[in-house]
């Protein structure tokens, strides 16, 4: 497979992000609206934020790291040939994320192609799903190493040095590896208690684009260029116990050995926000509830943001209801702000089943929404979910009617979204680990079983769960019904133009028709349908079904990026290069 002209490049680590299903361009699969709530498509082309922290950590230690978003490049060009591309770029080591379980198919396939091309190049996998399935993962011949845990920069650095020097790897923390004697699981002891040892440097992305002349491969998701949302992580681990979350408090104590959440210091957090704001005019999302670290920590974040006085939209997520006074403090400190809140259900009983005692009533939530509307909050996004414990199809219908009620509480700044939990309930979540206790029935447990689920013809058969209250079929029906009704309500309450509303309605009808067609094919024993009309058309029927994807984004600007900062980074890059190349 090796093509002539392959040369050992100066890339110490090539970080690859695979599509969810490797050969999605050739398959006819109805993935369903499982990615409608995130910026990426059903290909799940967004790479982990951790790629950027890894790149910056290694860069600071003199290593060359290249990120290639294979998923995005494959989406953007049907002709993009992965083996041919990889054959032209031989790195010293390759890292592939299997962070989100929906990449179980693509990540393993990309690893396989690499091993075939370069048997001597170590393939390292990492991310939360890799951590969960490390035993199984290391059993695949294409995988050499698995780095476990929610923080891997220093162990990865140690591993790359050991590999270069031919030194032993048995003392590298968090590492699962194999040799002729079998599999070895080094203890998971790198669990940093401060997150300030590493940063996410946006300028490095610009440099990477220049160094490798590859803009497309570096971008985080399809359409980022026109909707440059950026994120700043604020925490690792979580204080909450949501039943379906693969990073809940209980899950973390097992999976990442994080006994309690650890927070980024306000100084480091705000410095990162500022670094992003120097580069882009786009919104900056603070990932994680800043109040989780306590009111004093949150107050310091606000004070630093106030001093920074940025024009970017700062987006706050809340896992529990914040006190009204906190919203007022935000309003005083930040010029442009918005908030996201995920009650998941309108029903107190369902919320309690999902979150434990949710700690707030529906009335409390409405009061808070009214307060946000009263303030200068420029956007209030409320998220609901389908597939929760104790949730019936009737309860989903009531949630949608409740959205109609919420629309009346606020003006156009208030939006409601609903989506199915999918394609999977997270491995490691309490619902996954104790399905009977929480009313789940699982269709897959192992990595290999999930890999196979991902190539089923339609999302009803891809879902790895159903609940005691809704079968997979009912979950799908409830989703399309909810999407249809919510779309009507959005048009009625002026949240969506009639034209866009008609577009969403057409999408839902087409998805339903396609589902019937695929079901029919399955009933006639065709399995994965080889339907020439549908091949590679998955996204058309799965994107913007439960909402118009554009609703997720902020209004576009003519210029999204700050040119002087880009010129400054380029200047630094070129002067660094000429210094390096000077005799
Ligand atoms: C922010 C976030 C997002 C952001 C994306 C941010 C991003 N680009 O990473 C958004 C909102 C878009 C998102 C989307 C999704 N998410 Co999310 N997300 C999170 C969240 C809340 C925080 C992650 C974070 O900030 N990490 C901090 C960064 C710095 O670290 P990191 O990226 O994890 O990387 C470190 C390690 O994981 C590891 N690592 C990661 N990759 C690799 C690769 C190699 C080679 C190595 C060595 C190491 C390594 O080392 C890194 C550096 O230390 C977590 C929950 C949590 N608290 O962890 C859920 C979580 C990761 N998401 C989850 C899910 C399910 C999804 C979706 C599939 C949901 C959906 N159906 O739409 C999508 C997938 C999107 C895609 N790929 O296109 C699950 C994953 C469960 C699982 N095992 O599969 C989590 C655990 C919880 C949850 N349910 O939300 N998500």
């Amino acid at each position: 497979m090796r093509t002539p002209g392959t040369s050992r490049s100066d890339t110490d680590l090539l970080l690859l992000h695979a599509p969810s299903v490797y050969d999605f361009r050739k398959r006819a699969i109805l993935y369903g609206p499982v990615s409608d709530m995130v910026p990426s498509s059903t290909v799940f082309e967004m790479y982990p934020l951790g790629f950027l922290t890894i790149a910056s950590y290694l860069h600071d230690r003199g290593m060359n790291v290249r990120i290639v978003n294979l998923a995005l490049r494959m989406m953007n060009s049907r002709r993009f040939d992965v083996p041919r591309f990889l054959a032209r770029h031989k790195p010293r080591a390759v890292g592939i994320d299997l962070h989100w379980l929906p990449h179980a198919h693509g990540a393993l396939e990309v690893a396989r192609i690499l091993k075939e091309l370069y048997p001597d190049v170590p393939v390292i996998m990492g991310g939360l799903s890799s951590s969960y399935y490390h035993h199984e993962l290391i059993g695949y011949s294409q995988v050499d190493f698995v780095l476990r845990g929610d923080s891997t920069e220093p162990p990865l650095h140690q591993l790359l040095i050991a590999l270069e020097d031919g030194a032993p790897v048995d003392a590298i923390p968090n590492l699962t590896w194999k040799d002729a004697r079998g599999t070895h699981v080094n203890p998971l002891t790198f669990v940093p208690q401060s997150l300030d040892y590493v940063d996410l440097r946006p300028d490095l992305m610009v440099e990477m684009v220049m160094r490798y002349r590859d803009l497309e491969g570096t971008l985080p998701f399809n359409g980022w260029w026109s909707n440059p949302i950026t994120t700043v992580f604020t925490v690792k681990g979580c204080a909450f116990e949501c039943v379906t979350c693969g990073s809940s408090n209980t899950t973390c104590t097992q999976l990442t050995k994080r006994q309690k959440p650890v927070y980024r210091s306000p100084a480091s957090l705000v410095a990162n926000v500022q670094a992003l704001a120097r580069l882009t005019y786009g919104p900056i999302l603070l990932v994680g509830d800043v109040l989780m670290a306590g009111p004093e920590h949150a107050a310091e974040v606000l004070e630093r943001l106030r001093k920074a006085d940025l024009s970017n939209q700062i987006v706050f997520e809340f896992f529990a209801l914040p006190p009204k006074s906190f919203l007022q403090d935000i309003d005083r400190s930040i010029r442009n702000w918005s908030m996201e809140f995920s009650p998941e259900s309108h029903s107190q009983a369902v919320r309690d089943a999902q979150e434990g005692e949710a700690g707030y009533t529906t009335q409390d939530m409405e009061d808070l929404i009214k307060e946000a509307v009263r303030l200068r909050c420029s956007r209030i996004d409320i998220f609901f979910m389908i597939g929760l414990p104790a949730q019936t199809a009737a309860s989903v219908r009531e949630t949608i009617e409740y959205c109609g009620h919420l629309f009346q509480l606020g003006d156009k700044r208030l939006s409601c979204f609903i989506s199915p939990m999918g394609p999977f309930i997270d491995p490691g979540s309490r619902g996954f680990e104790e399905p009977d206790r929480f009313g789940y029935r699982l269709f897959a447990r192992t990595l290999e079983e999930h890999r196979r689920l991902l190539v089923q013809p339609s999302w009803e058969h891809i879902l790895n769960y159903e609940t005691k209250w809704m079968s997979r079929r009912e979950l799908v029906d409830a989703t399309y019904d909810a999407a249809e009704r919510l779309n009507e309500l959005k048009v009625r309450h002026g949240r969506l133009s009639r034209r866009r509303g008609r577009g969403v309605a057409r999408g839902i009808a087409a998805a339903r028709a396609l589902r019937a067609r695929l079901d029919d094919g399955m009933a006639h024993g065709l399995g994965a349908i080889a339907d020439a009309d549908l091949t590679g058309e998955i996204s058309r029927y799965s994107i913007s079904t439960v909402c118009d994807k554009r609703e997720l984004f902020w209004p576009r600007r003519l210029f999204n990026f700050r040119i002087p900062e880009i010129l400054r980074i380029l200047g630094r890059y070129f002067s660094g290069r000429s210094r390096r190349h000077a005799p």
Side-chain angles (χ1 to χ4, degrees):
M1 248 177 163
R2 191 171 301 194
T3 54
T6 303
S7 60
R8 197 170 180 90
S9 75
D10 66 345
T11 307
D12 295 298
L13 179 69
L14 176 62
L15 285 172
L16 296 176
H17 180 64
S20 165
V21 169
Y22 175 70
D23 44 357
F24 69 94
R25 294 178 297 186
K26 293 194 188 134
R27 291 182 187 261
I29 298 178
L30 177 67
Y31 287 105
V34 292
S35 67
D36 267 3
M37 291 302 111
V38 293
S40 22
S41 70
T42 51
V43 172
F44 286 122
E45 75 275 14
M46 192 185 271
Y47 57 75
L49 279 177
F51 268 18
L52 298 174
T53 56
I54 288 173
S56 89
Y57 187 89
L58 297 179
H59 176 268
D60 289 350
R61 284 153 188 81
M63 289 187 169
N64 285 332
V65 180
R66 178 175 185 187
I67 294 174
V68 177
N69 190 340
L70 285 178
L72 184 55
R73 297 209 55 172
M74 291 171 83
M75 276 176 78
N76 286 349
S77 164
R78 279 181 176 266
R79 287 206 309 272
F80 178 75
D81 183 326
V82 176
R84 191 178 306 156
F85 173 84
L86 294 174
R88 285 202 302 266
H89 300 91
K90 184 174 184 181
R92 295 202 167 85
V94 177
I96 303 173
D97 66 290
L98 176 53
H99 183 49
W100 296 282
L101 191 54
H103 292 92
H105 186 278
L108 279 166
E109 194 55 16
V110 168
R112 192 190 60 73
I113 293 169
L114 265 158
K115 251 304 145 225
E116 228 172 276
L117 277 172
Y118 306 125
D120 57 329
V121 171
V123 171
I124 308 161
M125 312 275 293
L128 285 181
S129 299
S130 300
S131 305
Y132 185 85
Y133 286 116
H134 66 114
H135 271 296
E136 198 180 336
L137 198 49
I138 200 78
Y140 287 88
S141 56
Q142 63 265 45
V143 179
D144 299 305
F145 300 98
V146 183
L147 264 174
R148 290 146 25 232
D150 64 15
S151 308
T152 59
E153 298 84 359
L156 180 58
H157 181 231
Q158 289 171 40
L159 176 62
L160 295 176
I161 290 175
L163 291 173
E164 196 59 24
D165 297 347
V169 297
D170 51 357
I172 297 177
N174 304 17
L175 187 67
T176 301
W177 54 287
K178 61 187 172 193
D179 62 9
R181 287 179 296 125
T183 296
H184 308 270
V185 180
N186 298 353
L188 204 161
T189 46
F190 183 72
V191 187
Q193 295 309 305
S194 153
L195 300 182
D196 295 356
Y197 71 96
V198 75
D199 214 337
L200 196 156
R201 284 184 34 204
D203 54 328
L204 214 58
M205 273 176 85
V206 181
E207 280 194 35
M208 223 181 281
V209 171
M210 292 310 296
R211 179 190 295 273
Y212 298 106
R213 305 278 183 278
D214 180 11
L215 170 65
E216 213 187 342
T218 320
L219 292 182
F221 61 87
N222 192 23
W224 185 80
W225 202 236
S226 34
N227 296 298
I229 302 178
T230 50
T231 37
V232 168
F233 70 99
T234 66
V235 58
K236 290 206 176 182
C238 190
F240 291 83
E241 282 293 12
C242 301
V243 165
T244 56
C245 180
S247 187
S248 69
N249 192 281
T250 302
T251 308
C252 288
T253 58
Q254 304 295 319
L255 181 60
T256 55
K257 303 281 175 239
R258 203 170 272 298
Q259 301 308 319
K260 55 180 181 18
V262 42
Y263 305 98
R264 201 157 172 194
S265 73
S268 148
L269 195 163
V270 175
N272 204 181
V273 173
Q274 286 175 295
L276 290 167
R278 274 197 293 277
L279 202 61
T280 142
Y281 293 102
I284 302 172
L285 169 68
L286 305 186
V287 175
D289 184 335
V290 284
L291 277 167
M292 210 157 59
E296 279 163 27
H297 181 106
E300 192 183 335
V301 171
L302 288 189
E303 178 53 19
R304 285 178 181 270
L305 284 171
R306 190 187 65 74
K307 287 195 183 128
D309 189 28
L310 307 169
S311 64
N312 301 62
Q313 177 90 217
I314 308 291
V315 188
F316 290 83
E317 283 197 293
F318 294 112
F319 296 167
L321 273 196
K324 281 186 195 164
S325 59
F326 189 67
L327 294 193
Q328 291 153 7
D329 290 345
I330 297 180
D331 209 50
R332 271 192 294 274
S333 315
I334 293 168
R335 273 197 259 164
N336 290 311
W337 66 282
S338 49
M339 61 176 269
E340 297 185 353
F341 186 63
S342 306
E344 316 281 31
S345 167
H346 75 291
S347 149
Q348 185 91 47
V350 175
R351 281 206 302 266
D352 287 351
Q354 160 74 344
E355 301 171 14
E357 289 291 303
Y360 60 86
T361 63
T362 304
Q363 190 54 52
D364 295 339
M365 181 174 81
E366 292 184 7
D367 288 347
L368 192 86
I369 290 175
K370 283 187 205 148
E371 181 63 8
V373 173
R374 192 185 69 77
L375 298 166
R376 290 177 305 117
C377 183
S378 64
R379 215 182 135 137
I380 306 150
D381 289 347
I382 310 284
F383 291 94
F384 296 99
M385 198 152 80
I386 300 172
L388 301 168
Q391 185 188 45
T392 59
S395 172
V396 173
R397 283 195 292 274
E398 286 162 19
T399 296
I400 300 301
E401 296 313 317
Y402 181 69
C403 291
H405 166 69
L406 284 184
F407 286 144
Q408 287 164 1
L409 289 186
D411 48 31
K412 285 191 177 171
R413 291 173 293 160
L414 189 145
S415 307
C416 294
F417 300 90
I418 191 159
S419 69
M421 175 174 68
F424 302 144
I425 180 171
D426 295 350
S429 64
R430 294 192 301 150
F432 188 88
E433 298 306 307
E434 299 177 78
D436 293 342
R437 175 173 164 205
F438 294 105
Y440 284 91
R441 178 162 159 244
L442 300 182
F443 293 94
R445 279 180 190 269
T446 65
L447 179 60
E448 182 55 27
E449 284 165 358
H450 282 96
R451 199 183 70 83
R452 290 203 209 119
L453 273 188
L454 282 162
V455 289
Q456 293 300 306
S458 92
W459 66 289
E460 180 181 330
H461 307 278
I462 296 174
L463 290 176
N464 72 346
Y465 72 95
E466 62 188 16
T467 71
K468 216 161 83 183
W469 304 271
M470 276 189 271
S471 66
R472 289 202 284 194
R473 191 160 193 81
E474 286 164 333
L475 286 164
V476 172
D477 286 335
T479 300
Y480 288 136
D481 291 348
E484 233 157 30
R485 177 73 181 136
L486 185 57
N487 188 45
E488 279 168 25
L489 288 171
K490 281 181 179 170
V491 173
R492 182 185 308 160
H493 292 281
R495 298 310 199 270
L496 202 59
S497 69
R498 288 193 179 282
R499 199 167 63 84
R500 282 198 184 179
R502 275 197 301 273
V504 172
R506 269 197 304 273
I508 299 169
R512 283 195 201 266
L514 177 60
R515 176 189 180 212
R517 201 161 141 196
L518 291 167
D519 278 356
D520 198 41
M522 280 190 92
H524 291 89
L526 295 180
I529 290 181
D531 186 327
D533 311 347
L534 294 177
T535 301
E537 292 297 310
I538 48 165
S539 51
R540 203 145 59 87
Y541 302 98
S542 297
I543 291 178
S544 293
T545 315
V546 292
C547 71
D548 183 316
K549 195 122 190 142
R550 284 168 294 190
E551 288 176 61
L552 292 182
F553 298 119
W554 276 256
R556 288 186 186 194
R557 300 172 54 105
L558 197 52
F559 297 110
N560 286 318
F561 297 91
R562 297 185 202 259
I563 306 299
E565 177 66 4
I566 294 182
L567 291 177
R568 196 188 63 77
I569 299 169
L570 294 183
R572 195 183 62 194
Y573 169 73
F574 284 116
S575 70
R577 242 167 64 121
S578 54
R579 263 201 312 280
R580 272 198 300 277
H581 293 164

